[in-house]
Amino acid sequence: MAAMDPRNNGYVAPLNEQERDEDIEVGEVVEVQDNQSVASLKSNDSDLKKKTNDDDTKEKGGWTNALILLGNQGLATLAFFGVGVNLVLFLTRVMGQGNAEAANNVSKWTGTVYMFSLVGAFLSDSYWGRYLTCTIFQIIFVLGVSLLSFTSWFFLIKPKGCGDGNFTCDPPSSLGVGIFYLSVYLVAFGYGGHQPTLATFGADQFGENDKTSKAAFFSYFYFALNVGSLFSNTILVYFEDKGLWTLGFLVSLGAAIIALAAFLGPTKRYRYVKPCGNPLPRVAQVFVATARKWSVVRPANHQELYEVEGPESAIKGSRKIFHSSKFLFLDRAAVITDDDRSGTRNNAWRLCSVTQVEEAKCVMKMLPIWLCTIIYSVIFTQMASLFVEQGDVMNASIGKFHIPAASMSVFDICSVLISTGIYRHVIFPYVRPTELMRMGIGLIIGIMAMVAAGLTEIQRLRRIVPGQAESELTILWQIPQYVLVGASEVFMYVGQLEFFNGQSPDGLKNLGSSLCMASMALGNYVSSMMVNIVMAITARGKSHGWIPEDLNEGHMDRFYFLIAVLAAIDFVFYLVFAKWYQPISHDEDSIKGTGVKRKAISELDQV
């Protein structure tokens, strides 16, 4: 028998069978003489902490704070899309880039935006906490939009009024190009870094068991995102399409500043969740301990695996997690060996608790599902690149009114807003599909969107007028593909937010939310890679390739159909992994670890 410290890096010290007196720190160190007293103190400690947490939840958080965060999301998104939605045309009209180069640069930039979400999630989960992370990255975002506004006015829009599609801008200077890319990547760093953390921070405003409010918040979070982008995709895009680029960027700057001020306003009323420490060593410890005990036989009964006694988890800020039947080889990390009993120290790189092992398992279980969402993000990213380029060579005039190609995304936004309302108020009260089911439905609708885009391109090519860049086909033919993408987003991306946040351990909540944005990031990179590969294969000899500078000489429809085929194959794999997946199961009677050093209050069971 040996006493085991419940901390992750506790101590194992030999004990005399007749001497079990132990110390426990509950506010102060209390001398405990028998097991009954220990159990009583643990129960009182647990009840006190739960009561404190309940009182704190009642006083702070709730829908008032959540609504402010939704407003922040809408304004920040307005500012972001004021920069990003027309970026492909800014690169072609102002920076003088070709179609393929501009599309690739936008894909890389958008991918970088979402990759930075992993940076923000890591800092939030590990060190800074949600509030500080959101604050710092939103300040960076404001600085980026400020610099972009100045750069476009002082360096790039020369002569004044150029960049409207008719009036060519002068070639930009090397300094202007350098500052431009610095500013747009500051925008990417700031917006990407705070987005997933803001979503998790909003969910934190509700109690752990208030899953209905959290699910509603995630739906409205995506709703707010699209409300913000609605203004950017209509008013701002119209002005930018007319060459008023600096004005559009200044409006984005104003929205970013208001969003930051609104976020900082209720600072004292927010409900805060403390960071849980760096998760990388915890996950690494599981794999190292497993490797060191590879020859150890796993017990048939998982109850014999090591877990901290009492209600409190060994991981700071995390509840206990029940054992699962997936990746059973990792259970070796929680097997108690003779070396663990006889040693004077509990080496965290040799012995891990069940909760710590399950934390690593959760990451591995979510990984196949996450990988299957990347192809959908390839579908989604076409709206910011090829959809815009396709619309730019279609008949965009309705009477005397000219529709900017980027403004067609308003149909995507309206589709999201309408689909969200239908789902929340018509479908959800009667049928409640799981997050995995909704993500699968989203992937199917996304495939339909690519088929619609391909059919539209076929019709556009059939109505080309010799000697003219624009086809006779009206740009309104793009409506179905935008509407289908919008409907798919409600199922896929809202489902992802709920799934990855809900299935992540308490210490990895921000990482869970960032997986959705990381999927978008890789989708953009994969899209850029696919464009390069397709052009390298198809643009040979006298062939112009599928996506040439002059789209009238290409076959972009084949590229859309290629994406649809790849997504259909991806859907088959998704079904397999979705059926295999085992949800996380928290011990709702446990309490989150405090990270406070405690002396041992229990002994290892005999194995």
Side-chain angles (χ1 to χ4, degrees), residues 426-492:
V426 178
I427 299 176
F428 187 76
Y430 303 101
V431 180
R432 298 193 177 187
T434 65
E435 292 92 346
L436 290 173
M437 292 174 61
R438 286 153 54 191
M439 291 160 63
I441 293 172
L443 186 54
I444 293 175
I445 300 175
I447 295 172
M448 296 168 59
M450 286 297 97
V451 173
L455 294 176
T456 297
E457 181 64 10
I458 290 175
Q459 293 300 318
R460 190 193 69 81
L461 292 173
R462 288 177 179 175
R463 302 190 187 184
I464 293 174
V465 178
Q468 294 185 12
E470 294 182 356
S471 170
E472 289 184 335
L473 188 69
T474 176
I475 197 173
L476 298 181
W477 269 68
Q478 284 192 311
I479 293 177
Q481 63 203 58
Y482 277 104
V483 169
L484 286 170
V485 170
S488 69
E489 290 175 54
V490 173
F491 288 95
M492 175 58 80

Side-chain angles (χ1 to χ4, degrees), residues 63 70 214-229 376 411-429 431 433 438 445 482-495 497-498:
W63 272 108
L70 292 175
K214 289 188 176 186
F217 175 81
F218 286 125
S219 293
Y220 294 134
F221 184 82
Y222 203 76
F223 184 91
L225 183 152
N226 282 273
V227 169
S229 61
Y376 173 82
F411 291 101
D412 163 76
I413 297 168
C414 291
S415 176
V416 169
L417 300 181
I418 294 172
S419 298
T420 301
I422 292 175
Y423 176 76
R424 291 297 309 172
H425 301 291
V426 178
I427 299 176
F428 187 76
V431 180
R438 286 153 54 191
I445 300 175
Y482 277 104
V483 169
L484 286 170
V485 170
S488 69
E489 290 175 54
V490 173
F491 288 95
M492 175 58 80
Y493 283 141
V494 176
L497 278 172
E498 291 184 34

Side-chain angles (χ1 to χ4, degrees), residues 74-110:
L75 288 168
T77 303
L78 186 158
F80 172 74
F81 280 102
V83 174
V85 73
N86 238 359
L87 186 58
V88 68
L89 294 184
F90 187 87
L91 293 175
T92 55
R93 294 180 181 181
V94 178
M95 307 295 288
Q97 298 181 5
N99 287 329
E101 182 185 7
N104 277 339
N105 282 333
V106 170
S107 292
K108 293 174 183 176
W109 177 78
T110 307

Side-chain angles (χ1 to χ4, degrees), residues 153-222:
W153 166 72
F154 193 78
F155 290 104
L156 303 178
I157 309 298
K158 303 291 183 182
K160 184 179 180 179
C162 69
D164 61 353
N166 298 315
F167 192 10
T168 305
C169 292
D170 295 338
S173 64
S174 298
L175 178 61
V177 172
I179 298 178
F180 166 77
Y181 278 111
L182 172 63
S183 64
V184 294
Y185 276 93
L186 280 175
V187 170
F189 188 49
Y191 185 78
H194 95 275
Q195 272 293 289
T197 305
L198 184 68
T200 308
F201 189 50
D204 287 343
Q205 303 311 305
F206 307 99
E208 294 289 352
N209 297 321
D210 193 357
K211 296 180 180 180
T212 301
S213 295
K214 289 188 176 186
F217 175 81
F218 286 125
S219 293
Y220 294 134
F221 184 82
Y222 203 76

Side-chain angles (χ1 to χ4, degrees), residues 318 321 358-359 362-363 366 503-509 584 586:
S318 179
I321 307 174
E358 289 302 318
E359 187 179 55
C362 286
V363 175
M366 291 190 294
Q503 293 300 310
S504 297
D506 293 324
L508 297 173
K509 288 295 183 183
I584 188 174
H586 282 108

